[in-house]
Every structure is written in C-alpha cells, then in structure tokens.
Amino acid sequence: EAQVTQNPRYLITVTGKKLTVTCSQNMNHEYMSWYRQDPGLGLRQIYYSMNVEVTDKGDVPEGYKVSRKEKRNFPLILESPSPNQTSLYFCASSLLGTGDTDTQYFGPGTRLTVL
Amino acid sequence: SQQGEEDPQALSIQEGENATMNCSYKTSINNLQWYRQNSGRGLVHLILIRSNEREKHSGRLRVTLDTSKKSSSLLITASRAADTASYFCATVGYTGRRALTFGSGTRLQVQP
C-alpha cells in the first residue's frame, strides 16, 4: 500500500531533550516536506527536500533540522525542544513534475508535547 | 503565512444536502488543492485543479477555480455523515519549494 508513515504518533517530552520524528514513504517520491499545524495558524512548512541530500528551509525552520540521506526517509530533528514546539507535525511527499504530480500525500501526524 | 481564507468557518447540514465551501487566496498560483482532515488526524488529498482549469469533478466533489477573483469553491453533493471533517484549500505557487499554503479550513458537520 502506498503510504507515508511517521513515528512516533504521540510523544511527550521535556525541554532540551533531543528527539527525532521519523518519516518514510514507499512511493519513490523525490519531494518530501514537514509541516506543523497549530490552532489559528493553520499548517506551515518547516523544511522541504527536493531529493537526496537536497534540503531547504520552509516558513518556520527555527529550532528544527532535517536530513535526506535516502530517498524514502526524511527525519525531523529537534536538537533542544522547547514548549513552543508543541504542535501536530505532518510529513508529506510528492513526485516532482507538473500538474497532478503536485499532489502531496500526508502521513498520519505526530502529536508532540514539550513540557 | 496563511494564503487562503475559507468561508464559512463552520457549516452544519443534514445528510443528503449539498455543502459548498469557498476559498480565497492572495498570490498567483500554479494549482489549488483541497484536503480533508478528520479531527486531528492526517490530511487526505481530495482534488487538484490547475490554474488553467475552471472546473473539475471527482465523484461527489465539484471544484471551481476563478483565477481573476483568486477564489475557489468545493461542492460536496448528497452529503453523508462520513463527510463530517475539516476541509482545507491549499495553493502551490511558482516558487521552487512547492510548499502548500493552507487556508484556515471549514469545519463541516453532517447530521444523520
């Protein structure tokens, strides 16, 4: 089944304790992206990647890191989480092309709470 | 920053009725997409309409796009209780990063 998976789905942690949220897709998509969703602010892009070893900042990259060593995986790293990073995080992927290939497929989300 | 504004913010209808949601956006777009989200869960892609298209259908969904007014509408016909969800429009601009810029969403409640 074509899908984007994220782990963990739920995480409660404390300020300053490094964590990684994994994202994996099995559709051979070049493009992958991370978003966070907050009440009243909608979804905002954190980082994106056009292909292996090609990553760049989105709208709200501060406090986050990413890596793209393999095509299928795009982990999101919080080196020193803070309470303002409490949010619902989504990973998404798509082909790179034109027209309908812009459709982005989303993972199930990771609800992160930083105390 | 949010690109689009959905209207209405919330909509409650009876099963079998049609639901119409509108979306406005601010900048030039490559395409516009509609997504559904069930209460705090993942986003499901519904339909994509390109900037050179005016109308598109998919099952019970009909999407229109008016680039001169920078607006789109999503019509769900013969709604079902299972359609209860939040609906978001998202635009893709012409910048390389292909970020989806989401609107604030419409919460649809379909009463059985």
Side-chain angles (χ1 to χ4, degrees):
Chain A
E1 181 190 352
Q3 60 182 349
V4 179
T5 56
Q6 293 178 227
N7 281 292
R9 295 288 314 281
Y10 302 90
L11 179 60
I12 300 175
T13 189
V14 295
T15 299
K17 186 175 181 183
K18 181 179 179 180
L19 66 93
T20 299
V21 184
T22 64
C23 172
S24 183
Q25 49 92 8
N26 62 1
M27 296 170 278
N28 203 35
H29 286 169
E30 297 92 355
Y31 182 87
M32 297 186 75
S33 179
W34 277 101
Y35 295 85
R36 60 178 288 176
Q37 184 178 27
D38 302 288
L41 296 175
L43 283 99
R44 296 174 292 168
Q45 190 184 51
I46 303 170
Y47 266 96
Y48 68 100
S49 170
M50 292 291 204
N51 214 324
V52 175
E53 303 291 4
V54 182
T55 64
D56 209 342
K57 298 176 180 177
D59 294 315
V60 288
E62 294 77 21
Y64 304 95
K65 284 174 57 177
V66 292
S67 69
R68 187 91 182 271
K69 293 185 169 57
E70 305 164 283
K71 198 171 187 179
R72 63 184 293 128
N73 296 323
F74 190 46
L76 179 70
I77 303 154
L78 285 72
E79 294 270 3
S80 183
S82 63
N84 64 12
Q85 292 177 298
T86 292
S87 187
L88 181 57
Y89 291 86
F90 289 103
C91 181
S93 72
S94 75
L95 290 168
L96 275 180
T98 58
D100 288 359
T101 58
D102 270 338
T103 298
Q104 292 193 23
Y105 297 88
F106 281 78
T110 295
R111 189 167 291 281
L112 172 65
T113 301
V114 184
L115 302 174
Chain B
S1 63
Q2 290 191 71
Q3 161 84 301
E5 295 292 329
E6 273 96 336
D7 170 48
Q9 288 189 328
L11 180 62
S12 182
I13 58 173
Q14 297 293 127
E15 240 181 351
E17 294 180 338
N18 295 342
T20 299
M21 288 159 264
N22 302 297
C23 164
S24 61
Y25 57 91
K26 297 173 186 169
T27 61
S28 296
I29 62 169
N30 180 294
N31 64 71
L32 184 144
Q33 304 175 37
W34 285 90
Y35 286 82
R36 184 185 74 223
Q37 184 179 33
N38 290 82
S39 187
R41 302 182 74 174
L43 291 113
V44 175
H45 180 264
L46 296 175
I47 196 166
L48 179 152
I49 186 166
R50 289 176 258 184
S51 59
N52 61 353
E53 297 176 312
R54 292 296 165 258
E55 188 170 315
K56 203 162 182 179
H57 297 254
S58 176
R60 294 184 295 113
L61 305 179
R62 173 177 168 255
V63 169
T64 62
L65 179 65
D66 186 336
T67 53
S68 67
K69 294 181 181 177
K70 291 187 168 58
S71 67
S72 173
S73 68
L74 171 68
L75 168 68
I76 303 174
T77 59
S79 63
R80 306 166 182 167
D83 294 329
T84 294
S86 290
Y87 292 81
F88 295 88
C89 70
T91 56
V92 177
Y94 290 98
T95 62
R97 65 184 177 102
R98 293 176 176 248
L100 284 168
T101 304
F102 283 84
S104 49
T106 293
R107 280 194 310 279
L108 173 66
Q109 177 78 41
V110 182
Q111 307 285 355

